[in-house]
Each structure stands twice: as structure tokens, then as C-alpha cells.
């Protein structure tokens, strides 16, 4: 019964987030499936699974926003370098890009801190390894 509830919750979440996932991040659906597999392997109960999935949705939304901002800043910085813009312009864009990179790192750290509230240290470590390099997984 527990697995049926978990599957139903996961299916509802995936279908509800499907349109958002395709629009925001093409690999988001795959990430969600990997996250569900991880949750099942870790033995996360249904209530905590809902919390994990909500956390993932917030994380993905924020990460997508940061990724878009970072791509725009990186393009602007490359254009400024190519156009031989002033040092002030290039330095400003570099600082803004570095600030975005720091925000991305902080988002990952805060997400892992939240996961630590419902998972063991080993599970958090395994989750971090998965989240930090979804391409390899």
C-alpha cells in the first residue's frame, strides 16, 4: 500500500510539473525520476517524500532562474571583452557573474541543509553527489 501511495504521489507530481519541466529545464523530468529512485532506495516515507519533491521544485525553479541570468551575464561579458569595452564595464560584469556563481553555490548548500533535516548524513552525501553532477548520473 505504501508503494502505491508513493507511486501515485510521484505520478501526480511529475504530471503537474511536466509542463513546467519542459519549459524550464529539459532534463528536469529525468532529475525528478532520479530523485524518486533515490528516495525509494533511501526509504524516505511518504510524508517526507512530499517534502523532498516540494524542495526539488523550489530548487529547480531557483536554479533555472540563476542559470538564465548567468547565461545572459556570461554572454554580456564575452561581448564586452570582444568589443574591448572599458575596464569598469568588464570588471562590473565579472563581479556580477561571480556573484551569480556564489548564489548558485549557496542555493545548493541551503538545499542540502534542508535535506539534512529528514535524511541521514550518508543519504545527504549521496544526494549531493547526485545533484552536483546530474549529467554523470
Amino acid at each position: 500500500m505504501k508503494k502505491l501511495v508513493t507511486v501515485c504521489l510521484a505520478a501526480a507530481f511529475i504530471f503537474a510539473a511536466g509542463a513546467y519541466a519542459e519549459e524550464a529545464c529539459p532534463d528536469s523530468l529525468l532529475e525528478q525520476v532520479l530523485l524518486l529512485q533515490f528516495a525509494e532506495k533511501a526509504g524516505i516515507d511518504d510524508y517526507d517524500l512530499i517534502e523532498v519533491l516540494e524542495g526539488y521544485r523550489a530548487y529547480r525553479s531557483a536554479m533555472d532562474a540563476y542559470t538564465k541570468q548567468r547565461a545572459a551575464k556570461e554572454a554580456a561579458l564575452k561581448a564586452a571583452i570582444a568589443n574591448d569595452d572599458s575596464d569598469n564595464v568588464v570588471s562590473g560584469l565579472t563581479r556580477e557573474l561571480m556573484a551569480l556563481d556564489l548564489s548558485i553555490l549557496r542555493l545548493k548548500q541551503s538545499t542540502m541543509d534542508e535535506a539534512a533535516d529528514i535524511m541521514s548524513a550518508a543519504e545527504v552525501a549521496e544526494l549531493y553527489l547526485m545533484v552536483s553532477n546530474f549529467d554523470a548520473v
Side-chain angles (χ1 to χ4, degrees):
M1 182 68 169
K2 181 179 178 179
K3 285 189 178 188
L4 178 61
V5 171
T6 302
V7 169
C8 289
L9 286 172
F13 179 78
I14 288 173
F15 288 127
Y20 168 78
E22 289 177 16
E23 184 179 301
C25 176
D27 294 330
S28 180
L29 205 51
L30 177 60
E31 290 176 359
Q32 291 174 38
V33 170
L34 291 171
L35 187 59
L36 289 172
Q37 287 177 340
F38 169 80
E40 185 176 335
K41 178 182 169 192
I44 295 173
D45 67 38
D46 295 339
Y47 296 107
D48 288 338
L49 178 61
I50 292 170
E51 198 173 323
V52 168
L53 294 175
E54 287 173 350
Y56 170 77
R57 186 172 181 187
Y59 165 81
R60 185 77 266 156
S61 176
M63 187 59 75
D64 288 344
Y66 282 142
T67 301
K68 287 179 184 178
Q69 291 174 22
R70 190 185 189 293
K73 288 293 177 192
E74 185 176 349
L77 179 58
K78 287 179 180 180
I81 293 168
N83 294 335
D84 199 27
D85 286 350
S86 71
D87 286 349
N88 287 339
V89 171
V90 172
S91 295
L93 289 169
T94 302
R95 281 192 300 278
E96 291 173 14
L97 186 61
M98 290 170 34
L100 281 169
D101 286 340
L102 188 56
S103 295
I104 290 169
L105 178 61
R106 286 184 177 144
L107 175 62
K108 288 179 180 180
Q109 288 175 327
S110 68
T111 301
M112 291 302 108
D113 288 343
E114 289 178 24
D117 292 341
I118 59 171
M119 296 180 195
S120 71
E123 291 166 344
V124 171
E126 189 175 341
L127 179 63
Y128 180 73
L129 290 172
M130 183 177 74
V131 169
S132 65
N133 194 1
F134 266 123
D135 291 339
V137 174

